Amino acid sequence: MRQPQRNDMYVNGEGMKVVVNNVLAPNPAGVQILEYKFIGSPELHFIPVDEFTGQFEFVETFSSFDIYIEERNKILQLKEEEEERAALARKKAKEEAASAIKR
């Protein structure tokens, strides 16, 4: 099994991609904590390495931060497109309701 390292990308069972930000030194109890974040999210998450490797599968290592930015931008673009479709659907529903009221 691969030991997680900084800039490694993993995927969970739901297809959500995460990037390892840091692998901390073991604490006095010998537990090593891993810091990661979901691509497209600014939130950092902390989890013991053993739990992480049980939940996530290795995909690739980023050769540079630019690759992470590209991946994040793709996700953000998909979210924007989804929001635009939802706004368009709401607008259409309002127009249909308004035309129904006029009848």
Side-chain angles (χ1 to χ4, degrees):
M1 184 182 335
R2 180 184 167 86
Q3 194 64 10
Q5 299 174 18
R6 181 174 172 77
N7 295 333
D8 282 354
M9 181 170 37
Y10 284 77
V11 65
N12 67 8
E14 298 171 3
M16 300 288 293
K17 292 181 180 177
V18 299
V19 176
V20 175
N21 191 48
N22 198 6
V23 180
L24 306 173
N27 64 19
V31 178
Q32 191 171 21
I33 301 294
L34 182 133
E35 176 184 338
Y36 71 96
K37 62 181 173 178
F38 287 92
I39 293 181
S41 171
E43 291 183 41
L44 290 174
H45 301 270
F46 297 87
I47 188 171
V49 172
D50 293 341
E51 285 183 39
F52 181 84
T53 56
Q55 295 176 19
F56 294 91
E57 183 178 320
F58 176 75
V59 176
E60 66 180 315
T61 299
F62 288 123
S63 57
S64 74
F65 193 69
D66 293 339
I67 296 171
Y68 169 78
I69 295 298
E70 290 171 12
E71 189 75 23
R72 185 198 67 187
N73 288 344
K74 284 181 200 175
I75 290 172
L76 293 176
Q77 182 178 2
L78 290 172
K79 285 181 182 178
E80 278 182 22
E81 290 170 0
E82 186 177 315
E83 288 172 1
E84 288 172 4
R85 283 192 297 273
L88 185 61
R90 285 192 302 272
K91 181 179 176 184
K92 188 175 180 179
K94 282 182 182 179
E95 289 172 354
E96 289 175 359
S99 67
I101 291 172
K102 289 180 182 178
R103 292 182 200 168

